[in-house]
């Protein structure tokens, strides 16, 4: 029977299934010796094998993984890192925390780094290009790799959205000197907070390993917060969401029973004390359980994306392009339409929780742009898209009937 209070939601534990909930609950009451790291090591080995990378190092977030990569590169203070606007402050802050300067490049029509604008933004101080495969749509890697090669720039791939995506038959995360992935709550696979850094470079690998060893683990309380997330979401918050659950979520976060995806400090450019840290073993167990299901998840995402394509084409929404040779994984199915914000609000009132990544060039919307180094007017596409973007869910808990409800809403909403 359909529960009328349970939302159709893009967020709020999107990938979690009953086995993940049971696992998280059992982990809450299991003892693990602090020195134990067997699950973390297994995750690293399995991940490296999957990607065909030589080294993988697990951290408590993509943010920590990026911090490790940048520290291992030992770049001169003030060196410039080129990255696209239309991103999250979580991609920008680690650059600033490393003493480096983010330089924003505009995005192309598919929300990825524009190779044209990249060429214009390279300066004497440029050292790194960070390419983001936004929403799981692979960026134009031939062009970007060539620009990096010609300008002697290091390439880092931000694969927070794109685990499993391919470009010309090759997995994203294998094109640069290093890459990182996220296992955050809204990502391709989730352990609420988690991430991994990968590289084929022996020396860089050794330095990332040393960094990982040095930073240690987050506190047990912090880990417990993450383990409660799937349990409370599934059993209490989501089943009563439209009446009680949404208020409970705020209360649980207020009293630190649950964590927030982004700490308020990050919106002001500051680092919370749980970054950078390694991935606790208990979260590695959750990540491994999700990792086993990755192919199934991605197949599902593609099927739902295909349904959206077929039903929305020819209408008044701008759909993602599908360049040949790119296998997308559609973390979110992004469309553009006038009055997007109004439409998302209307949908929320109907308990359809659609997404708004990214409402501002450096999201979330209440991030202080001056602390990110973003200059208004520097990335016109990103600014224009931010006003029109709507994300539709593709995750495993969105069946065809939920997707059709969303489609009906979009078609009827004027
Ligand atoms: C584009 C992008 N890069 C990097 C990150 C950082 O990943 P994490 O949340 O695991 O720190 C995120 C997630 O918030 C992201 O959306």
């Amino acid at each position: 029977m359909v529960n009328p209070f349970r939302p159709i939601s893009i967020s709020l534990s999107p990938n979690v299934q009953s086995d993940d909930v049971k696992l998280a609950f059992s982990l809450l009451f299991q003892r693990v010796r602090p020195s134990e790291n067997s699950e973390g090591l297994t995750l690293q080995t399995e991940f490296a094998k999957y990607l065909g990378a030589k080294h993988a190092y697990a951290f408590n977030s993509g943010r920590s993984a990026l911090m490790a990569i940048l520290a291992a590169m030992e770049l001169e203070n003030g060196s410039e890192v080129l990255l696209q606007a239309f991103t999250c402050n979580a991609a920008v802050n680690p650059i600033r925390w490393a003493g480096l300067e983010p330089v924003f490049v505009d995005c192309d029509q598919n929300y990825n780094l524009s190779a044209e604008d990249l060429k214009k933004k390279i300066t004497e101080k440029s050292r790194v290009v960070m390419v983001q495969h936004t929403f799981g749509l692979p960026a134009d890697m031939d062009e970007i790799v060539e620009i990096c090669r010609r300008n002697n720039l290091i390439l880092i791939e931000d694969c927070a959205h794109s685990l499993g995506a391919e470009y010309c038959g090759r997995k994203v995360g294998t094109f640069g000197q290093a890459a990182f992935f996220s296992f955050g709550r809204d990502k391709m696979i989730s352990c609420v907070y988690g991430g991994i850094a990968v590289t084929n470079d022996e020396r860089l690998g050794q330095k990332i390993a040393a960094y990982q060893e040095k930073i240690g683990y987050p506190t047990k309380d912090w880990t417990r917060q993450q383990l409660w997330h799937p349990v409370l979401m599934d059993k209490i918050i989501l089943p009563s969401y439209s009446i009680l659950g949404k208020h409970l979520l705020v209360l649980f976060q207020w009293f630190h029973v649950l964590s927030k995806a982004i700490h308020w400090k990050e919106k002001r450019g500051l680092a919370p004390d749980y970054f950078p840290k390694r991935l606790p073993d208990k979260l590695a167990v959750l990540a491994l359980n999700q990792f086993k299901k990755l192919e199934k998840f991605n197949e599902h995402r593609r099927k739902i994306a295909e349904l959206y394509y077929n039903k929305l084409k020819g209408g008044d929404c701008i759909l993602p392009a599908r360049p040949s040779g790119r296998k997308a994984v559609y973390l979110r199915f992004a469309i553009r339409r006038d009055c997007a914000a109004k439409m998302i609000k209307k949908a929320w009132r109907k308990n359809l929780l659609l997404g708004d990544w990214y409402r501002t060039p450096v999201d979330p919307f209440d991030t202080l742009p001056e602390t990110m180094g973003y200059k208004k007017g520097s990335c016109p596409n990103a600014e224009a898209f931010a006003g029109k973007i709507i994300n539709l869910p593709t995750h495993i808990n969105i069946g065809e009937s939920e997707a059709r409800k969303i489609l009906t809403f979009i078609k009827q909403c004027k």
Side-chain angles (χ1 to χ4, degrees):
M1 211 180 64
V2 178
N3 171 352
F5 308 124
R6 195 180 181 98
I8 293 177
S9 171
I10 196 158
S11 191
L12 308 169
S13 272
N15 304 327
V16 168
Q17 298 180 295
S18 57
D19 58 326
D20 304 296
V21 176
K22 278 189 205 134
L23 189 59
F25 191 69
S26 69
L27 286 163
L28 271 163
F29 303 100
Q30 239 173 55
R31 279 179 169 275
V32 178
R33 272 175 285 126
S35 59
E36 221 165 9
N37 182 33
S38 59
E39 301 296 337
L41 287 175
T42 309
L43 178 65
Q44 291 180 179
T45 312
E46 297 279 312
F47 199 89
K49 197 162 83 187
Y50 167 80
L51 207 67
K54 281 198 188 136
H55 308 285
Y57 303 97
F59 292 90
N60 75 339
S61 57
R63 278 158 274 191
S64 294
L66 176 57
M67 289 170 87
I69 291 170
L70 293 173
M73 286 178 172
E74 295 175 344
L75 300 157
E76 202 181 314
N77 238 24
S79 300
E80 290 178 353
V81 178
L82 296 130
L83 81 162
Q84 72 167 82
F86 207 68
T87 189
C88 176
N89 69 25
V92 184
N93 272 326
I95 297 171
R96 306 210 87 189
W97 298 337
L100 308 170
E101 209 48 57
V103 173
F104 291 94
V105 177
D106 208 356
C107 49
D108 62 17
Q109 292 298 316
N110 242 12
Y111 317 109
N112 282 325
L113 190 88
S114 152
E116 279 317 302
D117 199 44
L118 173 61
K119 286 185 224 162
K120 293 182 200 153
K121 302 249 165 98
I122 294 171
T123 72
E124 284 286 291
K125 282 163 79 185
S126 305
R127 293 291 174 272
V128 176
V129 173
M130 190 161 95
V131 63
Q132 167 185 297
H133 308 285
T134 316
F135 302 129
L137 307 167
D140 184 357
M141 294 314 288
D142 282 344
E143 271 266 24
I144 293 165
V145 168
E146 182 52 23
I147 294 170
C148 290
R149 195 192 57 75
R150 269 193 269 125
N151 293 279
N152 201 18
L153 296 170
I154 298 169
L155 178 62
I156 298 177
E157 288 180 84
D158 173 350
C159 302
H161 296 187
S162 56
L163 175 55
E166 291 177 18
Y167 182 91
C168 294
R170 191 166 148 194
K171 287 207 171 61
V172 301
T174 61
F175 287 83
Q177 275 87 335
F180 68 94
F181 294 79
S182 167
F183 310 142
R185 62 198 71 191
D186 289 332
K187 300 302 182 345
M188 304 303 295
I189 60 169
S190 317
C191 59
V192 189
Y193 261 106
I196 207 158
V198 296
T199 183
N200 283 329
D201 184 306
E202 228 32 79
R203 230 170 71 86
L204 199 59
Q206 278 169 12
K207 289 197 177 143
I208 298 173
Y211 184 91
Q212 190 199 40
E213 192 64 40
K214 190 181 75 186
I215 58 178
Y217 292 94
T219 63
K220 279 188 185 159
D221 280 348
W222 185 87
T223 304
R224 210 170 292 125
Q225 254 187 344
Q226 317 321 323
L227 291 171
W228 274 117
H229 186 95
V231 178
L232 294 178
M233 275 293 175
D234 187 71
K235 298 295 176 209
I236 296 181
I237 295 167
L238 285 170
S240 66
Y241 190 81
S242 64
I243 41 167
L244 193 64
K246 57 186 168 193
H247 306 294
L248 288 174
L249 175 58
V250 175
L251 279 180
F252 285 138
Q253 288 179 332
W254 181 263
F255 288 106
H256 303 286
V257 179
L258 296 179
S259 62
K260 286 186 174 177
I262 305 271
H263 195 284
W264 67 264
K265 283 185 175 179
E266 294 175 80
K267 298 174 184 175
R268 285 153 182 72
L270 305 170
D273 59 6
Y274 47 78
F275 296 140
K277 292 284 178 229
R278 299 178 70 156
L279 185 67
D281 233 27
K282 287 185 177 185
L283 298 190
V285 175
L286 284 189
L288 276 165
N289 196 52
Q290 286 260 302
F291 194 38
K292 285 196 299 222
K293 302 191 272 189
L294 176 66
E295 289 310 316
K296 184 176 88 177
F297 283 4
N298 285 355
E299 266 316 301
H300 181 84
R301 287 182 189 280
R302 288 193 191 101
K303 198 178 88 188
I304 299 293
E306 196 58 35
L307 179 67
Y308 290 145
Y309 268 119
N310 290 335
K311 299 293 175 192
L312 291 173
K313 70 179 172 209
D316 50 6
C317 299
I318 300 174
L319 308 182
R322 293 197 272 191
S324 63
R326 300 187 206 181
K327 195 168 167 190
V329 281
Y330 303 103
L331 175 66
R332 293 174 168 214
F333 190 84
I335 60 174
R336 295 203 301 279
R337 232 187 94 150
D338 290 334
C339 306
K342 244 196 227 160
M343 202 164 146
I344 292 173
K345 261 197 200 142
K346 260 193 202 167
W348 276 61
R349 286 200 287 273
K350 290 180 180 292
N351 223 13
L352 291 179
L353 312 186
L354 306 182
D356 59 0
W357 287 5
Y358 291 115
R359 249 167 90 177
T360 44
V362 183
D363 223 49
F365 72 96
D366 49 353
T367 301
L368 299 180
E370 61 273 22
T371 63
M372 298 293 124
Y374 181 77
K375 291 184 194 74
K376 200 159 187 277
S378 63
C379 298
N381 279 348
E383 288 177 19
F385 296 166
K388 294 193 170 181
I389 197 83
I390 305 175
N391 324 145
L392 312 185
T394 58
H395 58 79
I396 195 73
N397 291 308
I398 294 293
E400 232 181 270
S401 72
E402 283 85 7
R404 285 186 193 278
K405 276 188 199 159
I406 292 170
L407 287 164
T408 307
F409 170 79
I410 288 175
K411 287 184 175 172
Q412 285 172 356
C413 191
K414 291 292 163 217

